[in-house]
Amino acid sequence: MAEIEISQINEVTKTALLAHGASEGVAQTMAHAVSWSEARGNRICGLYYLESYCQQLVTGRVKGDVTPNVSQPRSGTIEVDAEYGFAQPAFAAALDTVTAAARGNGIACLFIRHAHTCTALGWFTEALAKAGMIGMGYTNASPIVAPPGGKTRVIGTNPMSFAVPDGKGGVAMMFDQSTTSVALGRITMAKAAGDSIPEGWAVDADGNPTTDPEAALGGSLCSTGGYKGWGLGLMVEIMAAGLAGGTPSREVKPLKAPEGAPHDLAHCFVVIDPGVRPDFGAMVSGLAAAVAQDDGARVPGRSKVLLTKVNVPDALWEASCALTKR
């Protein structure tokens, strides 16, 4: 393992993306998103994705030099055509517009369409919270989850995120989680390491519980909490593929495959102005204080200490650096 500064990860990511055809602005935004994930210990959404980003820029599966098109068909509805580029620059292009709409209406929706995967959904909702808004985010992915009791993949890991402002330009609470017991990347990492996985994470192709990551990859992931998580996964599917107008999970091709048509995903964000309730900030502070009565307990995302250095597997760091020299 190599101990790498987050600032180095940011620079290597930006340089690699520029070398593979991304524009300056896109490379800068994506480098921030990758290093943001690494600083929070979210390896799956960090450097782990860089090689596929670069490969897909070269093949044209993701466009790295497009300008997102922001429109406002209704006072409380903001739509962004990502032009088959990355989701993060599309979101950045619409952030001011959607926060203004939420302040004017009390609530607004942001739909990002024709986009690549958003990887860490918390990157988006945190930005909304720092802008003073409550942010809820939904996105879907390639099919890897069968219904409880079934074996046919219908939806993806379908993450959701929720972030709350602290009234001071920071974040009072934020979570970002898949609606499965574990993210798909945890399974692939276990397979690469030759490790088994806990029972309850996945089922094999016949719908039987398994601790073998290879069998899990040939089967399905389990929804967190069984039917409860399955319902949440379906909710996310309806918000992202239905309301935002994206591709249904069952038709989404593997997210990291170098070649193929653009993924054409959509991402849905509900943005609420907490200013509609004058005592909102006091309520959230009181809730956090109640949680903090027990040592070691905290509200998700609150007072999180960000990493300035992270341990990166040697092979991953060498491969990442090599991408800068194309």
Side-chain angles (χ1 to χ4, degrees):
M1 288 277 191
E3 188 176 59
I4 308 297
E5 297 273 357
I6 294 296
S7 59
Q8 285 182 273
I9 291 174
N10 188 294
E11 186 60 33
V12 163
T13 300
K14 179 180 177 180
T15 304
L17 293 173
L18 286 170
H20 287 79
S23 67
E24 176 74 22
V26 168
Q28 183 172 324
T29 300
M30 294 306 298
H32 179 267
V34 168
S35 57
W36 183 95
S37 293
E38 291 286 350
R40 288 156 180 77
N42 184 356
R43 290 173 54 195
I44 294 170
C45 294
L47 282 173
Y48 182 70
Y49 255 93
L50 181 57
E51 182 179 25
S52 70
Y53 287 160
C54 291
Q55 291 173 335
Q56 292 179 30
L57 282 168
V58 171
T59 63
R61 193 169 198 196
V62 61
K63 312 298 183 184
D65 57 354
V66 292
T67 301
N69 180 25
V70 181
S71 62
Q72 191 168 358
R74 296 185 179 182
S75 62
T77 303
I78 313 301
E79 294 192 354
V80 189
D81 186 340
E83 304 286 350
Y84 301 107
F86 291 107
Q88 289 85 347
F91 174 86
L95 180 58
D96 289 345
T97 304
V98 74
T99 54
R103 287 191 183 96
N105 294 285
I107 187 170
C109 290
L110 170 60
F111 305 135
I112 299 175
R113 305 181 66 191
H114 307 310
H116 192 49
T117 176
C118 70
T119 49
L121 195 56
W123 182 88
F124 300 78
T125 57
E126 182 188 88
L128 290 168
K130 287 185 174 180
M133 299 288 120
I134 297 172
M136 293 181 280
Y138 310 92
T139 189
N140 63 341
S142 47
I144 192 62
V145 184
K151 61 181 181 180
T152 302
R153 297 174 174 183
V154 178
I155 62 174
T157 54
N158 288 17
M160 58 185 182
S161 182
F162 178 73
V164 178
D166 64 3
K168 304 173 184 176
V171 180
M173 171 183 171
M174 193 273 282
F175 69 76
D176 175 3
Q177 64 188 55
S178 65
T179 52
T180 49
S181 295
V182 68
L184 179 61
R186 294 285 297 277
I187 307 287
T188 58
M189 290 170 69
K191 179 185 175 183
D195 297 332
S196 61
I197 60 173
E199 188 168 326
W201 279 15
V203 295
D204 63 20
D206 295 319
N208 300 313
T210 183
T211 59
D212 179 358
E214 186 168 359
L217 292 172
S220 302
L221 297 187
C222 295
S223 297
T224 184
Y227 282 99
K228 293 181 179 181
W230 171 245
L232 291 174
L234 290 176
M235 176 191 73
V236 172
E237 182 77 8
I238 290 168
M239 296 294 283
L243 190 61
T247 301
S249 285
R250 61 188 182 275
E251 297 176 12
V252 176
K253 304 305 179 186
L255 297 179
K256 297 182 71 178
E259 298 182 347
H263 288 106
D264 198 14
L265 294 173
H267 315 294
C268 175
F269 299 92
V270 178
V271 185
I272 304 172
D273 180 7
V276 299
R277 191 64 55 215
D279 58 352
F280 178 81
M283 179 272 167
V284 172
S285 295
L287 178 62
V291 172
Q293 291 180 94
D294 295 330
D295 291 340
R298 64 178 179 86
V299 172
R302 188 179 180 90
S303 303
K304 188 175 182 66
V305 178
L306 302 184
L307 303 172
T308 58
K309 297 179 181 180
V310 292
N311 290 321
V312 179
D314 293 333
L316 177 58
W317 184 241
E318 290 169 7
S320 298
C321 292
L323 290 168
T324 67
K325 299 178 174 62
R326 180 176 183 271

